[in-house]
Amino acid sequence: MSLFPTKVNFDICTFCNHKCTFCSNADERTLKESVSYSDFISVMDNITKYVAIDELGLSAKGEVLLNKDIIKIVRATKERYNVRYLYISTNGAILSKELASDLLQAGLDSIKFSINGYDEASYKAVHLKDDFSKVVKNFNDLLELKKTKYPHTKILISSIINRGKKELEESFKSYFSSNYELINAILKYDITYTPKFKDFKVAMAKLKPCPLVFNEIYIDSDCRLGLCCKDYFKEFDYGSLLKHDFKELYLGAQMSSIRTMHQTMEFPENHFCKNCLLFESANA
């Protein structure tokens, strides 16, 4: 069994052009960085000395398309590191047909649009932006690219809006008509934990260890080894991958202690992971 997961989430941009009500990105405590191409290469070279990365996500807390080096980063991921599956999540507002074409040509395997609304009013209420029509057009253009040139691209929609999955599917079907069948999945998500949530009352006996600390390597937009995508306010910092050896950091005492906590389900009072598990269970 490998010492390391083969799935990596490298959050290459935490700036965002939206201020979604369910997200902590707009909070001033959230780290705001964009990873340069040269730093991306340095970090990936560090990790791939030990890990044959099978799956790589490039987005988590912000709008990945605001990273000016995104095309070069995608191309390097496929050509230099031979990553099998490369994906991003975006709100889609700036994903023009030209940019989408460049990304797919560079080798991107999957794009997920976060569309948290079923019309202009409901969308603006969540995203706090009047971009619904623009996003629908951009998504339709992306579906056209899949139909005409990139048939194997995985295209998804995620949403947290308070509607049943069937209703959600019917809403999107009305906007994308014949292209609707090209969508691989529509995912209805619940709001997940971030540090802005507090006070959960759930029996610890009902909780299960989080798979993320065992199955995924998470890298923050400042190129430091982090805990996971829910740590918006940078509570955890396991060291810079621009300055330290990946293996030493990942197997070091700090990260090992987190994995032990999840194996034993014993956490200090008010620990981030404990609060997250309590939140997920309270809202299941």
Side-chain angles (χ1 to χ4, degrees), residues 36-198:
S36 68
Y37 175 74
S38 60
D39 283 350
F40 177 81
I41 294 298
S42 295
V43 171
M44 289 289 285
D45 282 351
N46 190 353
I47 295 173
T48 54
K49 285 188 296 184
Y50 307 103
V51 182
I53 300 173
D54 182 60
E55 182 176 327
L56 177 64
L58 294 176
S59 49
K61 302 173 192 166
E63 175 48 62
V64 64
L65 300 180
L66 292 174
N67 186 309
K68 62 181 178 60
D69 290 336
I70 181 68
I71 302 297
K72 290 197 296 182
I73 285 172
V74 167
R75 187 174 293 113
T77 298
K78 301 300 283 190
E79 295 179 359
R80 185 182 178 106
Y81 303 109
N82 298 311
V83 173
R84 179 189 61 83
Y85 184 60
L86 175 64
Y87 61 94
I88 64 168
S89 180
T90 172
N91 59 47
I94 59 175
L95 188 63
S96 65
K97 191 170 185 177
E98 293 73 24
L99 178 55
S101 180
D102 288 344
L103 285 167
L104 297 180
Q105 188 174 15
L108 191 64
D109 297 296
S110 175
I111 300 175
K112 182 178 72 177
F113 268 46
S114 178
I115 307 178
N116 303 292
Y118 48 87
D119 58 19
E120 291 186 4
S122 62
Y123 183 91
K124 184 179 180 182
V126 176
H127 287 258
L128 304 183
K129 289 281 185 176
D130 271 325
D131 284 341
F132 184 73
S133 296
K134 186 188 300 182
V135 168
V136 167
K137 180 187 183 303
N138 290 347
F139 194 77
N140 250 325
D141 286 344
L142 179 62
L143 293 174
E144 283 291 328
L145 281 170
K146 176 174 180 173
K147 182 164 64 176
T148 59
K149 196 170 181 181
Y150 300 98
H152 301 298
T153 304
K154 192 172 181 180
I155 298 177
L156 311 96
I157 296 174
S158 67
S159 185
I160 57 88
I161 62 174
N162 189 23
R163 279 195 163 194
K165 193 164 188 296
K166 188 70 176 175
E167 282 186 288
L168 198 57
E169 291 171 349
E170 290 300 321
S171 294
F172 291 130
K173 190 177 291 185
S174 70
Y175 291 108
F176 305 121
S177 58
S178 61
N179 283 338
Y180 178 83
E181 300 302 322
L182 297 169
I183 303 172
N184 292 86
I186 294 176
L187 309 171
K188 188 176 185 301
Y189 289 161
D190 294 322
I191 294 174
T192 57
Y193 177 79
T194 76
K196 66 182 179 181
F197 299 119
K198 296 178 180 178

